[in-house]
Amino acid sequence: MQRLSFAAEAPEEACDAMLAPPVGGARHYLSNTERTWKFSVLMNHDMITNEKLALVGNCESLGNWQLSDSVLMSKDEDEDSNVWSVSVQIPRERSTEYRYLVCAVDPDVGKPIVRRWETHLQPRQILELANEPPRQCYDIFGSLNGSEKVDRGWLSSERIVQLKFFNAPFIWKQRMKRRLLYVKVTPMNLRIPSNGLDNNMIACSISPLEDSLSNDTHDTKENGGDGGTAFAFSEVVVLNAEDSVIRAQSQFGTACGFNDLVIFHLTVSDFESTAYLIDLYAYSSKANTDDPPHHLGYHYVLPNLFKSSEGHLEVAITCASRHRPLGMMQFGYLIVKPVPSLNMDMSISYQRYWNDKWQGLDVGHRGSGTSFKANASSIRENTITSLKNAADHGADMVEFDVQLSKDLVPVIYHDFMIYVSLKSKNSLQEHDFLALPMRELTLEQLKNLKVYHTAEGQSRELRSFSNDDLQEHQPFPQLTDVLDAIDPHVGFNIEIKWSQRLQDGTMEEEFEHVIDRNLYVDCILDVVFRRAGKRHIVFSCFDPDICTMLRYKQNRYPVMFLTIGVTEKYKKYLDPRGNRIETAVFNSLAMELLGIVAHTEDLLRDPTQVNLVKNRGLVVFCWGDDNNSKDTIKMLKDLGLHAIIYDKMDVLASKEIKQSVFLLQAKDSQKELLKLQALEMGKMWHPSTQSSLNKA
């Protein structure tokens, strides 16, 4: 048995008296409470270079669900076999739970990467005192009780680099403009090898689909390609109806046409020492089917060009034959880092889980609703009181907005801008307000200053709320306090606020973030993981890259992509992924999100789009002012939406029992448990059982 932390390997056929060495290397002798179990699994998914199967579970010998202590498996000696096995000592007198995973370990870094893992809500189980299965029996990776559940991994020590080539972002001379280009991205090793030779810019081979033909036009072999490869996984996804799955790159790249949305998805073990070779290919119209394409040009992207977690690059294309500038290309990038404070275990994942009974859920918008529009709620939005009021009137979930104060504290507030009063007056004039980005004030300043909502500052009409001086009525509650204050059976839809760039190049509310995206998301996730307990939580965001970060930074909570879709109420975003429901679906499938939160205006325009989402296995919520009608809410529920976000739960909710679906489920589970206990007690005191006990 071998740990992912490189403990010494022991023979698989170890006798029952001895356990293979744990991480420390010392042998551990079996007690009467342990037994040897041979785990065998058939791998029917494709695996590529550097990928191996491993095992993790709920006992010490299986790592106690920790990735770092998972157990590596060995492939059977038969070359035609895809069965992997390992013998492990497991507890004898209690059940053992376990999952299989595909992992990779960079020998230079020594830390495992989860490529894919089984994510059934209930893991595999070996019952106490169960007999070991016959040698010819094996599990099937990802398949359990007729259900297939395999998800991509999350970040533990590595980073994800995404390069986004949207709508053929190439600038050429006139004769080149109409050519369909194929793009391939290859991670390159910048590390100086131990022999001291200059091995900069060495091609890596990470996929069986990539062979030397794809690099024949470069001098990478002369630079010392042998033994100097970068440890990385280079994949790609095309956002369209036929694809939308991250997969290995083809030998000569992926088509990046005028209507194509292509994302290169690179998993990198050593970010600082990895560059990226971008090759451009084109096929001749006169070429035969089997002829390779013409290598037009290339560019090396060094890691120091990535100045922040996201941005755009405009780089020169070097002609492959003459090594002269040929044109330019523009593409976006995203760097996703692991969260330093989180230690993810593998006991359970809800990232793509949705119970079939959770249909037509009632979600309180900002709690009890918007409070600064016509016919608005009488309770201040996004406050603890507002959230509690929605819960008291039967909300299954409450939706609220989270952003960071200047001192990086997650607080609940919707708008990016606030207004501060410069003077204490009975009537405020135009110049008595100062507009500030919320991020410019610390938590202490937000709580102590007289702060006004954007609508109040622009109109100079101040709203008064009942009990406004009470703590739970105050704006800017901390996310920590909200997690503690609201009934744990009420679900949370936590919207991460992030300003979007519009198609005309301007920013929403003329607000541009200065904080790094990774730090922003990390601060919010840290609070949720420390305080959420067993609460049902769904993250959402209008920014597709924030959604990607939320998905890959953790392995517990689901993420949904908020979209504006086809709309006359809002300006379109520069990023095309949220401007149409169909494109949002493709992006959600590619990044393995739970689903989308659609704008109801677009659903009312074309209700068939609900099935477009659901038929692809995604969950669909909806948001928008159109939801604030009993008739519309009923129609949306009849269409099969999983949840509707709306204002005034106390007025519009049609529930007879004012309790969340999660509380009712918990009560049903408690009833079933009591029935089982009563049944067991009945067996114990049954006359035949009592007679047996007396004889004993």
Side-chain angles (χ1 to χ4, degrees):
M1 183 181 75
Q2 187 178 5
R3 300 282 192 175
L4 291 183
S5 50
F6 295 102
E9 187 171 3
E12 277 194 17
E13 301 301 325
C15 66
D16 288 353
M18 187 180 292
L19 173 67
V23 177
R27 290 195 179 275
H28 167 67
Y29 292 91
L30 282 174
S31 69
N32 292 331
T33 61
E34 295 174 316
R35 54 183 168 159
T36 302
W37 195 278
K38 184 173 182 179
F39 294 88
S40 296
V41 58
L42 172 65
M43 184 58 182
N44 53 6
H45 293 242
D46 292 335
M47 295 178 68
I48 61 178
T49 306
N50 294 324
E51 289 187 341
K52 295 185 178 182
L53 267 172
L55 180 68
V56 67
N58 68 339
C59 57
E60 184 177 357
S61 58
L62 294 179
N64 288 320
W65 294 122
Q66 293 299 310
L67 169 63
S68 58
D69 290 327
S70 301
V71 179
L72 283 176
M73 306 181 76
S74 299
K75 191 174 181 181
D76 287 1
E77 294 180 0
D78 183 354
E79 292 184 1
D80 296 329
S81 172
N82 270 330
V83 175
W84 295 65
S85 303
V86 67
S87 292
V88 183
Q89 316 309 321
I90 62 172
R92 183 184 299 275
E93 296 178 353
R94 68 179 177 90
S95 296
T96 298
E97 296 180 344
Y98 64 101
R99 302 180 190 274
Y100 294 109
L101 62 142
V102 177
C103 65
V105 182
D106 183 348
D108 292 323
V109 177
K111 294 183 178 180
I113 295 172
V114 179
R115 299 285 295 146
R116 298 182 296 284
W117 65 304
E118 297 181 327
T119 53
H120 304 87
L121 200 62
Q122 298 297 327
R124 299 178 185 274
Q125 188 177 43
I126 301 168
L127 298 177
E128 58 180 313
L129 303 177
N131 293 323
E132 184 179 359
R135 294 295 182 182
Q136 67 270 21
C137 289
Y138 45 75
D139 298 321
I140 299 176
F141 180 78
S143 180
L144 179 61
N145 298 327
S147 173
E148 176 97 2
K149 294 284 184 182
V150 176
D151 285 347
R152 297 180 71 86
W154 70 98
L155 295 177
S156 51
S157 59
E158 72 281 16
R159 296 187 191 181
I160 289 173
V161 177
Q162 289 191 344
L163 304 183
K164 295 170 285 186
F165 284 72
F166 291 171
N167 309 121
F170 309 105
I171 304 172
W172 303 97
K173 295 178 181 178
Q174 187 64 35
R175 64 184 180 85
M176 294 286 294
K177 283 187 176 181
R178 294 190 175 275
R179 299 195 70 172
L180 176 61
L181 297 188
Y182 289 73
V183 179
K184 182 174 182 179
V185 181
T186 307
M188 313 293 286
N189 185 11
L190 296 177
R191 285 193 295 250
I192 297 176
S194 57
N195 60 14
L197 298 176
D198 184 7
N199 276 9
N200 290 348
M201 300 306 181
I202 300 170
C204 84
S205 99
I206 55 173
S207 166
L209 297 176
E210 299 175 12
D211 58 31
S212 58
L213 281 176
S214 60
N215 290 320
D216 277 349
T217 51
H218 302 287
D219 59 356
T220 54
K221 291 185 180 180
E222 295 179 8
N223 283 336
D226 295 336
T229 58
F231 190 92
F233 294 90
S234 183
E235 299 167 295
V236 66
V237 60
V238 183
L239 304 184
N240 60 34
E242 291 75 36
D243 199 355
S244 296
V245 175
I246 296 174
R247 60 181 80 251
Q249 294 188 62
S250 299
Q251 181 182 337
F252 295 113
T254 302
C256 293
F258 293 104
N259 298 316
D260 292 328
L261 303 179
V262 181
I263 301 175
F264 292 91
H265 185 93
L266 313 159
T267 306
V268 180
S269 178
D270 187 353
F271 176 78
E272 303 298 335
S273 300
T274 304
Y276 307 89
L277 169 61
I278 302 177
D279 283 309
L280 304 180
Y281 299 94
Y283 287 88
S284 170
S285 59
K286 300 178 181 179
N288 294 322
T289 306
D290 296 332
D291 288 347
H294 175 58
H295 186 217
L296 292 178
Y298 63 92
H299 185 89
Y300 287 106
V301 178
L302 299 179
N304 61 356
L305 289 181
F306 301 126
K307 301 298 184 183
S308 63
S309 292
E310 56 83 29
H312 287 79
L313 295 177
E314 182 173 319
V315 298
I317 302 169
T318 301
C319 179
S321 57
R322 299 185 180 183
H323 304 290
R324 295 176 181 175
L326 183 64
M328 302 289 291
M329 57 182 166
Q330 302 169 330
F331 55 89
Y333 70 84
L334 174 70
I335 314 296
V336 189
K337 304 176 184 178
V339 185
S341 63
L342 299 188
N343 178 30
M344 301 282 103
D345 68 38
M346 303 181 72
S347 59
I348 199 166
S349 174
Y350 300 101
Q351 284 197 320
R352 289 203 285 178
Y353 172 75
W354 191 260
N355 193 308
D356 291 338
K357 296 179 180 178
W358 301 343
Q359 298 285 336
L361 302 192
D362 298 288
V363 183
H365 179 228
R366 306 184 199 177
S368 297
T370 304
S371 56
F372 294 96
K373 290 184 179 180
N375 301 316
S377 170
S378 59
I379 302 173
R380 186 188 295 272
E381 66 185 43
N382 276 324
T383 59
I384 289 177
T385 297
S386 182
L387 299 171
K388 280 186 173 181
N389 184 68
D392 290 342
H393 287 88
D396 300 300
M397 306 181 76
V398 287
E399 182 270 352
F400 54 84
D401 311 280
V402 175
Q403 50 186 311
L404 299 186
S405 62
K406 185 177 182 179
D407 47 348
L408 305 182
V409 178
V411 296
I412 314 303
Y413 199 73
H414 178 269
D415 289 10
F416 295 112
M417 301 296 292
I418 57 173
Y419 281 78
V420 178
S421 172
L422 300 181
K423 296 180 180 179
S424 178
K425 290 185 174 181
N426 293 327
S427 60
L428 294 169
Q429 303 302 315
E430 179 179 359
H431 300 294
D432 294 336
F433 283 113
L434 175 64
L436 291 173
M438 204 208 80
R439 60 170 164 81
E440 293 298 327
L441 297 178
T442 65
L443 177 66
E444 191 69 20
Q445 290 170 329
L446 289 170
K447 288 185 176 298
N448 291 329
L449 287 172
K450 188 64 176 175
V451 177
Y452 298 92
H453 188 270
T454 305
E456 295 176 299
Q458 292 173 346
S459 66
R460 297 186 300 283
E461 295 180 5
L462 308 186
R463 281 217 61 184
S464 60
F465 298 97
S466 59
N467 300 319
D468 211 14
D469 293 331
L470 298 179
Q471 184 60 39
E472 291 192 347
H473 289 253
Q474 295 302 304
F476 312 108
Q478 292 178 240
L479 177 58
T480 302
D481 295 335
V482 169
L483 286 163
D484 291 344
I486 308 302
D487 184 330
H489 292 105
V490 176
F492 281 1
N493 176 187
I494 302 177
E495 180 187 339
I496 310 299
K497 295 294 292 183
W498 190 270
S499 182
Q500 299 298 292
R501 190 171 295 280
L502 305 174
Q503 276 189 344
D504 61 8
T506 61
M507 297 295 295
E508 282 183 311
E509 301 188 34
E510 300 180 359
F511 174 89
E512 191 152 5
H513 287 277
V514 294
I515 185 173
D516 182 83
R517 282 176 185 249
N518 274 288
L519 177 59
Y520 191 92
V521 174
D522 290 355
C523 291
I524 296 170
L525 287 177
D526 178 73
V527 170
V528 171
F529 272 81
R530 283 191 292 106
R531 306 300 280 265
K534 296 182 179 180
R535 187 188 300 277
H536 294 272
I537 289 177
V538 173
F539 290 109
S540 63
C541 188
F542 281 103
D543 188 283
D545 288 338
I546 293 288
C547 290
T548 297
M549 286 183 156
L550 289 163
R551 163 60 181 86
Y552 285 106
K553 282 176 174 287
Q554 50 91 33
N555 67 4
R556 182 60 57 89
Y557 298 110
V559 182
M560 300 187 72
F561 183 19
L562 264 162
T563 66
I564 57 170
V566 177
T567 175
E568 296 180 0
K569 298 180 180 180
Y570 301 98
K571 295 180 179 178
K572 287 192 174 298
Y573 295 149
L574 181 63
D575 192 309
R577 288 175 283 179
N579 290 336
R580 292 174 61 239
I581 285 179
E582 186 179 40
T583 312
V585 166
F586 301 152
N587 185 73
S588 299
L589 290 169
M591 297 303 127
E592 292 191 348
L593 308 183
L594 178 66
I596 71 167
V597 186
H599 187 196
T600 301
E601 178 191 0
D602 198 6
L603 294 181
L604 295 177
R605 179 188 65 83
D606 181 6
T608 64
Q609 294 181 108
V610 175
N611 287 331
L612 169 71
V613 183
K614 296 179 68 176
N615 289 342
R616 299 303 292 266
L618 297 177
V619 171
V620 55
F621 289 14
C622 67
W623 67 279
D625 292 339
D626 292 305
N627 290 352
N628 296 324
S629 157
K630 285 188 175 183
D631 291 338
T632 303
I633 292 170
K634 182 180 183 306
M635 186 200 77
L636 292 168
K637 290 185 177 182
D638 291 342
L639 284 173
L641 269 81
H642 295 93
I644 298 93
I645 303 169
Y646 59 90
D647 294 339
K648 295 188 176 181
M649 191 68 57
D650 55 336
V651 176
L652 298 176
S654 58
K655 281 186 175 182
E656 293 183 5
I657 301 175
K658 304 297 184 183
Q659 294 178 342
S660 79
V661 65
F662 308 117
L663 176 58
L664 294 175
Q665 254 185 282
K667 288 181 176 180
D668 287 342
S669 297
Q670 185 66 22
K671 287 178 183 177
E672 290 300 318
L673 181 60
L674 291 173
K675 285 180 182 179
L676 286 173
Q677 290 175 343
L679 185 61
E680 291 300 318
M681 292 296 293
K683 288 180 180 178
M684 181 176 292
W685 296 110
H686 191 275
S688 61
T689 308
Q690 189 61 42
S691 175
S692 300
L693 290 173
N694 291 337
K695 289 179 182 179

